[in-house]
């Protein structure tokens, strides 16, 4: 209390300063000491300051001080021209600060003006709120998805948000917009929208996936599996995703065994060393590689890869991040 009594008279002067650092420090001090007397001044600075950092700081302090009229403050922040200010306002959204109408307005702003990361964060926030507030909003977003008006980069977050409502009607509508089938079809939400840095962190450090134990990038890692140094220039995103969730579906030359039944009834098997639309080249017990024209093959069976289907080990979000990381290795 003594500290507060000494500092409070100086705050009005500090808030009038033109230097952003001083205004931000003064606002942070007010928040930490619970000084609410200058809240109207903070709102004024939020409206008038040309510094995005200052505007973001005013948002944070007003929230910390539990300003009584936060709805228009958050909406103002969400309409800011600066992405970082919008992100700060978005971080302040919770079930108690906004009415259903105000929440819907904020969501509309995010999906009209916001970046993909802002939209992903908005959907993660919606996943934590009561279904009574979010179901009408998500209903409209599913309609936009059906009309192909949303980025595929947010598909995973939209699925999670819809699941959080436990609405079978919404789940059914969303499912009708997705690919049907098993395997890859169940992971198409993980195709785009990942975080490249998080993917790199998973690849190099995760003790469950152990990617780096078998695969190397620029010489860092194991040699059990193929090098991934420039894999993003070789495989498409779809192929990278398939390599993670269905590793036996496509064999990397030199790392997988195939069994072939030929049209004349013969059976041959070996390590696939080369593959083209015209022929397969196998390494067998013979000295010379065996070249098999595709036209002679009646049936091909890829023997199981030593790599496990990573969908049983990794979350969809982790898979999406790793796909993003690998797709950028070129």
């Amino acid at each position: 209390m003594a500290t507060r009594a000494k500092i409070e008279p100086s705050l009005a002067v500090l808030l009038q300063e033109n230097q952003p650092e001083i205004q931000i420090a003064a606002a942070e001090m007010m928040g930490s000491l619970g000084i609410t007397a200058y809240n109207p001044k903070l709102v004024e600075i939020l409206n008038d300051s040309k510094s995005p950092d200052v505007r973001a700081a005013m948002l944070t302090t007003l929230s910390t001080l539990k300003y009584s009229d936060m709805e228009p403050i958050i909406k103002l922040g969400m309409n800011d021209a600066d992405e970082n200010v919008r992100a700060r306002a978005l971080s302040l959204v919770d079930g108690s600060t906004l009415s259903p109408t105000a929440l819907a307005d904020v969501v509309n702003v995010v999906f009209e003006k916001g970046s993909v990361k802002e939209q992903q964060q908005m959907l993660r926030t919606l996943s934590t709120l009561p279904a009574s507030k979010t179901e009408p909003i998500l209903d409209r977003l599913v309609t936009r998805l059906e009309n192909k008006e949303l980025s595929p980069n947010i598909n995973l977050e939209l699925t999670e948000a819809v699941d959080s409502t436990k609405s079978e009607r919404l789940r059914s509508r969303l499912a009708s917009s997705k690919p049907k089938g098993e395997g890859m079809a169940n992971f198409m939400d993980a195709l785009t929208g990942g975080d490249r840095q998080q993917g790199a962190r998973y690849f190099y450090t995760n003790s469950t996936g152990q990617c780096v134990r078998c695969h190397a990038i620029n010489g860092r890692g194991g040699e059990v599996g193929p090098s991934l140094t420039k894999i993003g220039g070789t495989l498409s995103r779809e192929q990278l995703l398939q390599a993670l969730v269905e590793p036996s579906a496509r064999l990397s030359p030199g790392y997988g065994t195939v069994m072939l039944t030929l049209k004349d009834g013969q059976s041959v098997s070996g390590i696939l060393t080369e593959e083209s639309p015209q022929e397969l080249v196998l390494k067998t017990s013979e000295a010379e590689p065996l070249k098999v024209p595709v036209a002679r093959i009646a049936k091909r069976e890829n023997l199981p890869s030593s790599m496990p289907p990573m969908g049983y080990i990794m979350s969809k979000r982790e898979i999406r991040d790793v796909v993003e990381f690998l797709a950028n290795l070129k």
Side-chain angles (χ1 to χ4, degrees):
M1 293 297 291
T3 302
R4 174 172 171 167
K6 287 185 177 181
I7 290 176
E8 192 164 355
S10 304
L11 287 174
V13 176
L14 295 174
L15 290 173
Q16 293 288 355
E17 288 284 344
N18 292 324
Q19 296 184 46
E21 295 82 2
I22 294 178
Q23 289 184 314
I24 292 170
E28 290 175 346
M29 198 179 306
M30 289 174 58
S32 63
L33 295 175
I35 297 173
T36 61
Y38 298 100
N39 281 357
K41 183 61 178 177
L42 298 181
V43 175
E44 180 185 326
I45 295 172
L46 173 62
N47 277 282
D48 298 339
S49 177
K50 294 182 179 179
S51 167
D53 291 339
V54 169
R55 297 197 299 273
M58 298 306 118
L59 282 169
T60 300
T61 298
L62 286 165
S63 175
T64 300
L65 295 173
K66 301 188 185 310
Y67 181 60
S68 59
D69 201 14
M70 279 303 292
E71 273 198 15
I73 295 301
I74 291 176
K75 290 170 70 173
L76 179 65
M78 289 304 310
N79 280 285
D80 199 278
D82 185 82
E83 180 178 347
N84 291 324
V85 178
R86 296 196 303 270
R88 185 69 60 86
L90 182 57
S91 72
L92 303 178
V93 175
D94 63 40
S96 60
T97 54
L98 296 179
S99 66
T101 300
L103 180 62
D105 290 343
V106 167
V107 172
N108 287 338
V109 170
V110 171
F111 280 89
E112 290 301 327
K113 297 182 178 180
S115 65
V116 166
K117 288 193 178 299
E118 288 176 277
Q119 292 174 10
Q120 290 176 335
Q121 180 56 52
M122 184 76 257
L123 287 166
R124 285 194 285 269
T125 299
L126 291 177
S127 296
T128 68
L129 302 182
S132 58
K133 280 191 173 184
T134 63
E135 192 169 342
I137 295 171
L138 293 170
D139 189 76
R140 289 190 288 272
L141 289 176
V142 171
T143 297
R144 293 188 63 179
L145 177 72
E146 292 169 340
N147 294 333
K148 302 188 185 309
E149 296 173 356
L150 296 182
S151 167
N153 294 330
I154 65 164
N155 284 350
L156 181 54
E157 284 78 12
L158 181 58
T159 299
E160 292 170 345
V162 166
D163 284 343
S164 73
T165 68
K166 296 182 169 52
S167 167
E168 290 304 322
R169 180 185 64 84
L170 272 183
R171 285 172 171 171
S172 178
R173 284 187 61 199
L174 188 59
S176 67
S177 301
K178 294 186 175 185
K180 305 296 188 293
E182 299 298 322
M184 275 276 288
N186 290 326
F187 289 88
M188 292 305 291
D189 287 348
L191 188 62
T192 60
D195 184 313
R196 181 179 177 180
Q197 290 183 331
Q198 289 295 330
R201 187 172 292 112
Y202 186 97
F203 182 90
Y204 286 116
T205 67
N206 189 275
S207 59
T208 302
Q210 301 186 70
C211 306
V212 77
R213 182 178 179 182
C214 296
H215 298 280
I217 295 174
N218 292 320
R220 179 184 174 187
E223 299 180 355
V224 176
S227 169
L228 303 179
T229 300
K230 295 185 178 180
I231 195 65
T234 303
L235 301 184
S236 66
R237 283 180 179 268
E238 288 81 2
Q239 289 171 325
L240 290 170
L241 178 60
Q242 184 181 47
L244 286 166
V245 301
E246 297 178 344
S248 296
R250 182 184 183 278
L251 300 178
S252 181
Y255 291 92
T257 301
V258 296
M259 181 174 293
L260 305 177
T261 302
L262 306 183
K263 291 179 179 178
D264 61 7
Q266 293 185 67
S267 293
V268 295
S269 63
I271 296 173
L272 180 67
T273 58
E274 294 181 44
E275 180 174 1
S276 73
Q278 290 75 39
E279 70 176 9
L280 273 59
V281 181
L282 307 183
K283 180 180 179 181
T284 66
S285 57
E286 301 297 325
E288 296 296 323
L290 175 63
K291 297 181 178 181
V292 183
V294 171
R296 291 188 58 199
I297 300 172
K299 181 182 178 182
R300 168 179 172 170
E301 182 181 0
N302 292 342
L303 299 185
S305 169
S306 59
M307 175 176 164
M310 300 304 286
Y312 293 104
I313 297 172
M314 303 167 67
S315 69
K316 281 189 179 181
R317 196 178 303 282
E318 289 169 337
I319 289 174
R320 185 175 67 171
D321 289 342
V322 170
V323 168
E324 188 66 30
F325 169 58
L326 296 177
N328 282 278
L329 296 177
K330 297 179 180 179

